Every structure is written in structure tokens, then in C-alpha cells.
Amino acid sequence: QVQLVESGGDLVQPGGSLRLSCVCSGRFSSTDAMGWYRQAPGKQRELVASIRSSGSTDYTDSVKGRFTISRDNTKNTIYLQMNSLKPEDTAVYYCNVERTGPWNTKTNYWGQGTQVTVSS
């Protein structure tokens, strides 16, 4: 069983920065894919950034050049560095780990979410 715990959410002014962390209770698997999602009030949850086991990353267009996802396998932790924050980045941010099991089965694990509010 994998448990994910996010932290780092806060109230920040536009243009500010935050770093979110997600600690995984178990050791990362070499095949794990990881991502950060967010959900704003009244909107669907969207994928913000993802990082594959190879280290390659993807970002949604609205955060490219501002957000950086990374992973530290020695600490079983995923990070999301968020710079130049905008009010439209306000949302609950969720950490996700997709684990590949036997016969290529996929299991998704989620954290409880951390609130990011960008406002002056």
C-alpha cells in the first residue's frame, strides 16, 4: 500500500513562488510515473506536470516555463517548484503515483491535497 502526503501549499502573492512536496510512504518503483494535478473550485481536476521513470517531464501549457517537477528517489519524494504564480494557479494540488504491476496493470495512488492560493 502506498500513501502520499503533500505539503507546501500556502497563500502567496502574484509573482511569488512555492515548492510543493509529496512524500511517498513506500519506496519508489523504477516503473513509477508521477504527477501533480490540481483542481480549482467548480472545475475538473487537471494534470499540471508529470515525470516518468526515465526522468522525462511534461507540463500543461499554462505552467510551462514557470513550474518544474522533480523526484528524489533517495527520499521517496516528488517536488513541484512553482514560480511566477498567478491567481489562476489557485487550486488544491494533488500528488499522484501510477504504479505498473504484473501484466502491465496500472494502480493510481493519490495524496490528500494541499491548498495553493495566489492573491494580493
Side-chain angles (χ1 to χ4, degrees), residues 13-58:
Q13 292 186 343
S17 298
L18 284 174
R19 188 175 81 156
L20 305 183
S21 300
C22 173
V23 179
C24 179
S25 62
R27 184 175 295 180
F28 287 157
S29 166
S30 61
T31 59
D32 285 347
M34 300 157 187
W36 285 95
Y37 289 71
R38 66 186 179 188
Q39 187 166 19
K43 295 188 177 181
Q44 289 189 332
R45 190 174 295 189
E46 65 168 344
L47 176 62
V48 175
S50 62
I51 183 166
R52 300 180 187 84
S53 55
S54 64
S56 63
T57 58
D58 286 307

Side-chain angles (χ1 to χ4, degrees), residues 77-108:
T77 302
I78 313 160
Y79 301 99
L80 184 67
Q81 178 66 43
M82 304 187 294
N83 299 326
S84 302
L85 282 162
K86 303 175 181 180
E88 50 264 41
D89 295 318
T90 296
V92 178
Y93 284 70
Y94 297 91
C95 173
N96 169 266
V97 169
E98 182 185 81
R99 178 154 295 175
T100 302
W103 303 287
N104 206 34
T105 56
K106 307 289 187 182
T107 303
N108 277 279

